Amino acid sequence: MSVFVDDDTRVVVQGITGGEGKFHTEQMLEYGTNVVAGAVPGKGGQEVAGVPVYDTVDEAVEAEDANASVVFVPPAFAGDAVFEALDTNLDLVVAITEGIPTQDMAKVNKRLSEVDTNLIGPNCPGIITPGEAKLGILPGNIFEAGNVGLVSRSGTLTYQVVSNLTDRGIGQTTAIGIGGDPIIGTSFIDALEAFEADPETDAIAMCGEIGGEDEEQAAKYIAEYMDTPVAGFIAGRTAPPGKRMGHAGAIVSGSGTGTAESKINALNDAGVPVADTPGEVAEAIDDFL
Amino acid sequence: MRLHEYQAKDIFADAGIPVPNSQLADSVAGVLDAVSAIGYPAAIKAQVHVGGRGKAGGIKIATSEEEAREAAESILGMDLKGYTVDRVLVEEGVDFVDEYYVGVTMDRGEGEPVAMVSTKGGVDIEAVAEEDPDAIAQEHIDPAFGLHPYQARKVVYDAGVPAEYARDVSSILSTLYELYEANDASDIEINPVMITGDGDVIAADAVMNIDEDALFRQPDLADMEEDSYQNDLERKAGEYGFDYVRLSGNTGIIGNGAGLVMATLDLVDYYGGTPANFLDVGGGAKADRIGNALDMVFSDENVDSVVFNIFGGITRGDEVAKGINEALEDFEEIPKPVVVRLAGTNAEEGMEILNTDLVQVEATLEDAVQRAVANAEEVAQ
């Protein structure tokens, strides 16, 4: 079992003719993902890595029966691309693009509340169900199929934790990078809810970072609704207030909201152990299993 | 990107928000010229991106030429929380009877903008939010429609603004939202909006932060970016296109991916060291970018030791190794010890290429950080 993506996921790649879109389409195909179409305005009729390209997402879905999309469109056009995907009633949209203006995402977020589609990202590495499907840019070779769910705001930190898990012989049901922007689709709570409902997921690793209050909300959710054990990590303990630490969303406000301390305390109060080092996350998960 | 007060006030004035008369000056003579044109009393305000300028001595009121000269001499060139003041805004003093707060920001939790008004202006609004949250009236805004006029009125009434000023304050709020949207601001606020003895409403301060991700469609604001750098390291990071934040420690940190770099900083602290910076080379960095990152960190005089932590997804370990070798081979003597840890895509190829005469190699994140911290301690002695 897994959450959000599996063997049956049929993917359309938006921006498939660009450098990143093409490279990662090849990588996704190599991993075994069913990439069935590409969508790029003005490029309909072409092929990329053997995948047919259509002018619109609507055509691609119609012709190839796709139910998910991955967005590699440059930031200036990515908000529009996500709208296009949402208006096609796909089950899942994964937006990899980094640097989408926040006000564009506020409009996307409004639309998201009106449709049934799940959005993952933007500014994220994507989602992988090891051995079945990968939608995004995660390096497939570090993942192993198994019984641990992983959700993270950061890409490379995910890889670090996954490699620590895999080194201990612990595989993953699904790993989700939810993204480092201030406004994102799938939140920690959405991901945790999905893992809680998945009978194959026996433990969950959750990697948060400074900024916003998503981790604090997730802590409340865990305390109230979850039986599956969760181990946490929070990046940014040493970040000064008012400075954006790479991710647009990773910023401690001047008034002190969004601090690592507040998140760690909230998680600890919910019974979630928070590791001091990335390596200790895998140890905590090992203890659960 | 934060605009300077004078830049934000120019934008406000162009949009029709009343602001005090003012003039920018970068010398004592310039300040004296400005006050003679503007008259007394005049406020002399440091133009640096530092909160609490007033308390730190960066804002002074002058009621005579002598006071203006003293203020100019003390503020120009002063060090304000690590930043040197090279310009001041000379502004007419406003005789006020009341001070309000008006602002628009993005509510991350709701994923939509929120307008805020309070009659407790002129003080630290975040402290008000903490101690007396009910004193700040809020109205969420549907980004598809913008701020409806009724909402601008409602939030002003909810805040308890007296009827005689409500129309002017809500008009300022509506204009602020238009500016927020048109300029891709992440925050925009006036603290305080002053009510003058004559019953006029005027923006005495101006804060505007711009979403850096939207600068591609804000060419006028993008031109101001150069002006927003406050030291050579920030300027250099801007030129190289790095996400860089300088801290006060002595262990320099280079990595890929914001979360992993933050975690590396935290580990330096955890093992008893002090991080000197946050530097994310981003995804897919090639050799020249790696060289630029090293140049960046070596340019910081506080740095005594450097740790490279790369977990390759789209970034390839062999490219990183090549970049490190090329950059370090240019030095007759390596300025500071460099510890490298490579994992992920092509990490093994990278490890083989790395010139171990120039760098120290560690296999795990924990070992690499501990070694860099030990190096920093040794060099600092």
Side-chain angles (χ1 to χ4, degrees):
Chain A
M1 279 288 284
S2 58
V3 303
F4 296 127
V5 297
D6 58 25
D7 273 343
D8 298 324
T9 306
R10 294 174 63 79
V11 180
V12 51
V13 176
Q14 294 176 258
I16 196 171
T17 52
E20 299 247 321
K22 179 170 181 290
F23 175 76
H24 290 291
T25 295
E26 286 161 358
Q27 299 283 309
M28 286 189 278
L29 285 166
E30 197 176 303
Y31 196 74
T33 311
N34 298 315
V35 180
V36 296
V40 181
K43 303 284 171 79
Q46 297 186 8
E47 270 194 5
V48 171
V51 174
V53 182
Y54 299 87
D55 287 316
T56 66
V57 174
D58 202 37
E59 275 181 90
V61 169
E62 185 86 358
E64 307 294 343
D65 199 24
N67 65 349
S69 100
V70 185
V71 178
F72 286 104
V73 173
F77 314 105
D80 183 50
V82 174
F83 262 101
E84 183 179 3
L86 293 181
D87 287 349
T88 323
N89 290 318
L90 295 165
D91 297 331
L92 179 70
V93 178
V94 181
I96 305 302
T97 311
E98 176 175 6
I100 303 179
T102 308
Q103 294 196 12
D104 292 3
M105 278 310 301
K107 295 192 179 91
V108 166
N109 187 61
K110 185 74 192 175
R111 185 84 180 113
L112 205 52
S113 67
E114 300 160 352
V115 297
D116 292 329
T117 308
N118 282 315
L119 171 69
I120 294 177
N123 189 12
C124 79
I127 176 168
I128 183 167
T129 292
E132 298 197 30
K134 160 178 114 157
L135 280 68
I137 63 174
L138 310 111
N141 60 318
I142 62 172
F143 293 86
E144 292 282 349
N147 60 348
V148 172
L150 193 145
V151 55
S152 170
R153 270 165 75 183
S154 155
T156 46
L157 185 56
T158 304
Y159 312 159
Q160 175 66 45
V161 171
V162 165
S163 77
N164 290 135
L165 286 171
T166 304
D167 284 350
R168 286 174 174 265
I170 301 171
Q172 305 88 41
T173 44
T174 299
I176 311 170
I178 57 175
D181 272 0
I183 301 179
I184 53 175
T186 297
S187 65
F188 276 119
I189 291 179
D190 299 329
L192 291 169
E193 189 179 9
F195 282 129
E196 176 74 7
D198 174 29
E200 301 292 317
T201 299
D202 294 332
I204 301 164
M206 166 181 164
C207 299
E209 63 189 33
I210 52 164
E213 292 182 343
D214 210 17
E215 290 84 353
E216 286 89 335
Q217 304 291 340
K220 282 186 200 152
Y221 180 84
I222 292 166
E224 202 158 339
Y225 299 106
M226 290 186 64
D227 294 324
T228 315
V230 181
F233 182 79
I234 301 292
R237 295 173 194 227
T238 50
K243 299 284 186 185
R244 164 174 160 168
M245 304 299 274
H247 283 159
I251 182 164
V252 173
S253 80
S255 60
T257 58
T259 61
E261 193 189 357
S262 142
K263 293 167 193 299
I264 292 166
N265 290 341
L267 287 166
N268 282 335
D269 288 348
V272 175
V274 179
D276 285 324
T277 72
E280 287 173 15
V281 179
E283 276 176 45
I285 293 285
D286 215 348
D287 290 344
F288 289 146
L289 299 174
Chain B
M1 179 183 88
R2 182 162 179 175
L3 300 189
H4 288 293
E5 178 191 3
Y6 77 91
Q7 294 169 325
K9 276 192 171 150
D10 281 350
I11 291 172
F12 286 11
D14 286 347
I17 295 176
V19 298
N21 288 325
S22 68
Q23 225 171 293
L24 197 62
D26 61 3
S27 66
V28 175
V31 169
L32 295 178
D33 279 352
V35 281
S36 70
I38 287 167
Y40 299 99
I44 294 157
K45 306 163 94 176
Q47 297 297 291
V48 284
H49 300 310
V50 166
R53 282 178 304 173
K55 272 187 203 154
I59 299 179
K60 289 196 155 63
I61 306 292
T63 57
S64 66
E65 185 175 319
E66 196 186 325
E67 285 180 15
R69 180 187 300 276
E70 277 172 24
E73 283 171 350
S74 77
I75 296 175
L76 281 165
M78 81 183 288
D79 181 278
L80 212 57
K81 301 183 182 173
Y83 294 111
T84 306
V85 179
D86 55 12
R87 282 172 306 184
V88 293
L89 189 66
V90 181
E91 190 170 77
E92 68 170 317
V94 178
D95 164 38
F96 64 91
V97 295
D98 215 344
E99 297 179 293
Y100 303 150
Y101 169 91
V102 178
V104 177
T105 191
M106 185 64 75
D107 181 336
R108 287 176 64 159
E110 297 297 323
E112 59 187 12
V114 59
M116 292 174 294
V117 177
S118 176
T119 53
K120 293 195 168 179
V123 295
D124 179 4
I125 198 66
E126 283 164 341
V128 176
E130 191 98 333
E131 289 154 20
D132 188 9
D134 292 342
I136 304 173
Q138 300 195 8
E139 186 74 14
H140 281 91
I141 300 163
D142 183 330
F145 295 109
L147 179 70
H148 298 293
Y150 90 83
Q151 291 183 293
R153 294 191 299 269
K154 178 171 182 290
V155 66
V156 166
Y157 293 139
D158 286 350
V161 172
E164 61 262 47
Y165 312 128
R167 181 191 289 266
D168 284 346
V169 175
S170 60
S171 158
I172 286 180
L173 174 59
S174 291
T175 307
L176 268 195
Y177 183 74
E178 284 165 21
L179 291 174
Y180 170 87
E181 197 178 24
N183 293 286
D184 274 300
S186 48
D187 300 291
I188 187 164
E189 65 177 39
I190 305 172
N191 186 21
V193 169
M194 283 180 175
I195 308 298
T196 69
D198 300 332
D200 291 332
V201 175
I202 189 165
D205 193 14
V207 170
M208 222 173 145
N209 285 296
I210 307 298
D211 177 3
E212 285 163 45
D213 289 337
L215 286 179
F216 69 86
R217 62 186 179 200
Q218 301 289 350
D220 293 346
L221 297 171
D223 287 345
M224 295 178 188
E225 192 171 30
E226 171 64 21
D227 204 34
S228 75
Y229 301 133
Q230 305 209 66
N231 57 51
D232 292 343
L233 285 167
E234 286 184 8
R235 181 165 294 109
K236 194 168 222 171
E239 282 164 12
Y240 285 149
F242 287 133
D243 281 321
Y244 173 86
V245 177
R246 192 185 188 199
L247 301 160
S248 54
N250 70 341
T251 300
I253 293 147
I254 300 172
N256 66 324
L260 187 60
V261 178
M262 272 189 276
T264 311
L265 263 67
D266 295 349
L267 265 189
V268 166
D269 177 67
Y270 180 72
Y271 288 122
T274 53
N277 66 277
F278 170 100
L279 199 172
D280 178 6
V281 297
K286 296 277 195 265
D288 59 337
R289 197 164 165 78
I290 298 298
N292 290 345
L294 270 171
D295 176 48
M296 182 82 231
V297 173
F298 284 147
S299 302
D300 179 352
E301 61 199 12
N302 292 348
V303 168
D304 288 324
S305 145
V306 178
V307 59
F308 248 99
N309 179 33
I310 301 289
F311 203 115
I314 38 177
T315 308
R316 288 167 33 184
D318 52 333
E319 277 289 338
V320 174
K322 212 172 97 189
I324 294 172
N325 285 348
E326 283 171 6
L328 293 180
E329 278 157 9
D330 285 345
F331 289 100
E332 253 171 53
E333 195 183 349
I334 307 298
K336 306 290 172 184
V338 178
V339 180
V340 181
R341 180 263 180 159
L342 299 177
T345 308
N346 290 6
E348 280 168 26
E349 290 88 333
M351 295 294 232
E352 273 170 34
I353 302 172
L354 270 179
N355 182 343
T356 48
D357 293 339
L358 305 177
V359 298
Q360 301 162 9
V361 176
E362 292 291 348
T364 71
L365 170 58
E366 288 79 4
D367 289 348
V369 169
Q370 287 182 74
R371 188 148 178 196
V373 168
N375 288 343
E377 272 170 22
E378 204 169 296
V379 172
Q381 272 172 8

